[in-house]
Amino acid sequence: MASHTESGSLVFHTNQQIDEIYARLTKTFQSGVTRPLEYRRRQLLQLARMVQENHTAFEDALLADLNKPRIETTVSEVSHLVTSVLYTVENFEQWAQPDPCETKEAWRSGWGATLYKEPKGVALIISPWNYPLVLTMNPLIGAIAAGCPAVLKPSELVPTLTELLADLTSKYLDPNAYVVVKGGVPETSHMLELRWDHIFYTGNSRVGRLVATAAGRHLTPVTLELGGKSPAVITDDCDFDVAARRVLNGKIQNAGQLCVAPDYALVPRAKVDAFVQSLKKAHDEFWPEGDHPLTGSVPVSNIINPRHHARVVNLLNRTKGKVVLGGEIHKDKSISPTILTDVPEDDVLMEEENFAPFLPIIAVDDIDHAIRIINAQPIPLVIYVFSDQEGMKDKFLQRTRSGQLVFNDVMMQFCAHEMPFGGQGESGYGMWFGKTTFDTFTHFRGFINVPTAQEPFLMFRYRPYTNDKYEIACAPGRAKIPDA
């Protein structure tokens, strides 16, 4: 069966080739090749070398596909991945050790209750176009560390990066265990018909539902890393200049096409003008006189394609908000960072995640008003709060829900390798990052060994049932319950 191309730029795998890859990786897993810790260590180090030795090639690929500035690729994708791999190499052997389960009752203490860490099996990792390197390879780090072979399916919307990943993965990693599949919607749909041992999907909630439905047919566990409308809450006590600089910097990364970008800002009504002035000041710091976000020396990233660009322009045309900064459109490629005020709570920009370089500002009466707006939306991936007020953290922990809660910065949660990351509800489910990514691809297999010498003690469970046996069985249920 011949391969075919998408827009003449990327040669897709056929369904037959996908089936052959699936069979090959299944055979590899069943052979036990990926289980030894030394094998996993070698593959992890090879992954680190792959990223480090091809740093410039990855920058070139994302510049070609997204017009992403080199420093953004370096900070958020290349350097982050090298750090993540080395952190895992340093710790995964400890993570993989069996965990004895503490046993309090003496009669069970000799059973050796233990949790063993075993690889789930062959994994499928489906990643998006916006951060295609890190969102493909970060889950792979956990899969390798856990001993799982994996099929990687990057987005067809970044053909240069996908082709590069396919080429490098086959050279640096074991080709019988780790393979990049190139394809679009039909090829991905075919892969979802197969029985995987874990599926890790990053993308939007619409496709996430399709992935979860397909996985459900095989009862396959799934991690869904989705998105949502992540708010930035500005309180009147914060340093507006610092808050504005950090929010705007988070908003312009990859032209706002990032699941953890601040989607909108909630600002005290009396402080909106002051916050806008701080945003304009930050904008002028990022692009001094003579420079420009669309045509300057290092322009912002492109919107991924003309279709998405048209969607974003349509949002800008339909909003009732007032553009106070930006709003410039460059061909069908990019849009300047745009700040909007006087945005109603039911505005088109509040209907779903913008995934654009827009920051709508909604004026609020107080923190309670801000919390009501947040709670009226689906659960976001993250809530950003800029405040040093005593008790503000507890208020947001107790009265809101989100995947994560970050104070006084945006996106810096990705620097905390030790802290699990994940969504809730519409923003996804399942956790990952650092050890948690290892756990995601690991089956925790319980073990006990009940000595035959205990048979006389355990005779009460057998028929024929008697009153004496009944009294023995009832004893645990009669334990004293504390008053409070």
Side-chain angles (χ1 to χ4, degrees), residues 127-286:
S127 55
W129 50 263
N130 58 336
Y131 283 79
L133 177 59
V134 73
L135 293 177
T136 303
M137 292 298 160
N138 234 339
L140 178 62
I141 294 170
I144 294 174
C148 296
V151 168
L152 311 175
K153 171 55 185 70
S155 172
E156 69 279 13
L157 299 181
V158 282
T160 312
L161 188 281
T162 295
E163 194 69 69
L164 179 62
L165 276 181
D167 179 53
L168 295 177
T169 299
S170 64
K171 292 178 179 178
Y172 281 82
L173 302 182
D174 182 351
N176 291 316
Y178 311 104
V179 179
V180 171
V181 166
K182 297 173 286 186
V185 173
E187 292 75 22
T188 305
S189 298
H190 177 74
M191 285 192 287
L192 289 172
E193 294 174 0
L194 303 173
R195 182 186 295 274
W196 303 93
D197 296 297
H198 193 94
I199 298 175
F200 195 112
Y201 168 78
T202 304
N204 62 56
S205 58
R206 179 185 62 81
V207 177
R209 285 179 168 83
L210 298 176
V211 172
T213 299
R217 287 193 286 268
H218 295 297
L219 299 180
T220 297
V222 182
T223 300
L224 296 181
E225 178 56 58
L226 307 178
K229 297 187 73 63
S230 296
V233 180
I234 309 298
T235 63
D236 54 13
D237 74 303
C238 75
D239 185 320
F240 275 28
D241 285 350
V242 173
R245 187 182 300 116
R246 293 181 176 188
V247 168
L248 184 61
N249 184 60
K251 184 78 265 189
I252 65 176
Q253 298 300 305
N254 202 36
Q257 300 168 115
L258 170 62
C259 62
V260 293
D263 191 84
Y264 61 101
L266 298 169
V267 182
R269 197 174 303 278
K271 299 290 186 178
V272 169
D273 290 345
F275 187 60
V276 169
Q277 287 305 119
S278 291
L279 287 167
K280 290 180 176 180
K281 179 180 178 182
H283 184 277
D284 291 343
E285 291 175 359
F286 296 164

Side-chain angles (χ1 to χ4, degrees), residues 20-37:
E20 290 169 353
I21 290 168
Y22 174 82
R24 186 168 84 243
L25 268 62
T26 299
K27 182 179 179 181
T28 296
F29 178 69
Q30 292 174 346
S31 74
V33 167
T34 62
R35 284 177 172 262
L37 297 181

Side-chain angles (χ1 to χ4, degrees), residues 29-80:
F29 178 69
Q30 292 174 346
S31 74
V33 167
T34 62
R35 284 177 172 262
L37 297 181
E38 183 54 38
Y39 171 91
R40 306 183 203 181
R41 180 181 177 84
R42 285 198 306 271
Q43 296 300 310
L44 287 168
L45 292 174
Q46 281 295 98
L47 179 56
R49 293 185 183 99
M50 183 184 90
V51 175
Q52 189 178 77
E53 293 171 4
N54 296 278
H55 185 153
T56 302
F58 286 124
E59 290 179 351
D60 291 343
L62 290 178
L63 194 62
D65 288 334
L66 297 170
N67 196 38
K68 183 177 286 191
R70 291 184 182 276
I71 190 170
E72 290 186 22
T73 296
T74 293
V75 171
S76 62
E77 308 227 36
V78 175
S79 295
H80 176 86

